[in-house]
Amino acid sequence: MAKQKKKVPDLTTGSMADISFLLLIFFLVTTTMDTDSGITRRLPPPVENPEMDVKVKERNIMNVMINKYDKLLVNGKPGDLTTLKEMTKEFITPNPNDEKAPETEVKEIELLGNVTLSKGVVSLKNDRGTSYLMYISVQNELARAFNERRDEMSMKYFGQHFADLTDKDKIEAINKAVPVRISEAEPEEIK
């Protein structure tokens, strides 16, 4: 007598592709992606005449240098990350009565009136061997100095912190009163 083979039941896999596709869509829609915001800097406009040298008075420049050992040099003297914000804030705050402070100019800004502006520029230069952590830490301290100065101006003129301003005209007025003037040089070997 011939033995009958037992038939194994088939699994219907036709809907497996549909279910996999639906799960994929579900996870794509519900997952949030982290985005790195980076450092926000406004690039200067292109130079019209690149051969022409721009002369800036020494008193209008605050030189910040970082060497490959992550040591800070501010205006030729050893500096410290903990005091960099205050030094920068003092440098960018207009002080027309001080001959050693950066030059100032009076400019009329809508919503603020006549405002005394500093012509100071922070020049940042780092070595190719500078650690990324130190570079970002210095950038953060410089940004904090400008943000605190903007916050002071916002409180003075509008009675609100700069971060709480919602009116675009007010934000623009404060940005004009405290422009972020940071010049970054090409990294090189700093001794």
Side-chain angles (χ1 to χ4, degrees), residues 9-173:
D10 289 334
L11 288 175
T12 56
T13 57
S15 62
M16 284 296 250
D18 295 337
I19 293 171
S20 300
F21 184 68
L22 287 174
L23 283 172
L24 178 65
I25 289 175
F26 172 76
F27 285 116
L28 285 175
V29 170
T30 58
T31 303
T32 57
M33 299 290 179
D34 290 336
T35 57
D36 294 333
S37 60
I39 300 172
T40 56
R41 289 285 181 265
R42 186 173 170 195
L43 295 175
V47 178
E48 291 178 16
N49 189 358
E51 289 83 34
M52 188 176 88
D53 249 353
V54 178
K55 300 289 182 195
V56 179
K57 291 185 179 176
E58 193 65 34
R59 73 184 249 192
N60 292 341
I61 299 174
M62 178 179 169
N63 288 304
V64 178
M65 299 172 85
I66 315 166
N67 69 10
K68 64 183 174 185
Y69 305 109
D70 290 346
K71 299 293 181 193
L72 203 57
L73 202 63
V74 181
N75 288 332
K77 298 176 185 165
D80 189 9
L81 197 58
T82 58
T83 59
L84 182 61
K85 178 191 65 122
E86 287 304 318
M87 290 175 70
T88 305
K89 192 171 154 189
E90 183 181 322
F91 177 77
I92 63 173
T93 301
N95 192 353
N97 300 326
D98 187 356
E99 291 293 320
K100 294 181 181 179
E103 294 176 313
T104 60
E105 65 179 331
V106 177
K107 191 174 184 182
E108 186 170 338
I109 299 174
E110 192 176 330
L111 299 178
L112 304 181
N114 287 335
V115 179
T116 304
L117 304 177
S118 171
K119 291 185 177 182
V121 176
V122 177
S123 174
L124 176 61
K125 194 172 196 176
N126 62 291
D127 190 275
R128 293 186 193 283
T130 302
S131 73
Y132 187 71
L133 178 64
M134 182 62 170
Y135 175 77
I136 293 299
S137 297
V138 168
Q139 284 281 359
N140 284 341
E141 291 304 304
L142 296 176
R144 282 180 58 208
F146 282 96
N147 289 340
E148 281 188 17
R149 183 72 186 117
R150 285 180 172 169
D151 202 44
E152 290 171 358
M153 293 290 285
S154 181
M155 289 299 290
K156 177 181 175 182
Y157 286 98
F158 304 122
Q160 286 182 290
H161 292 284
F162 183 70
D164 296 336
L165 291 179
T166 55
D167 184 0
K168 289 181 182 179
D169 292 334
K170 290 180 179 179
I171 294 170
E172 186 178 328

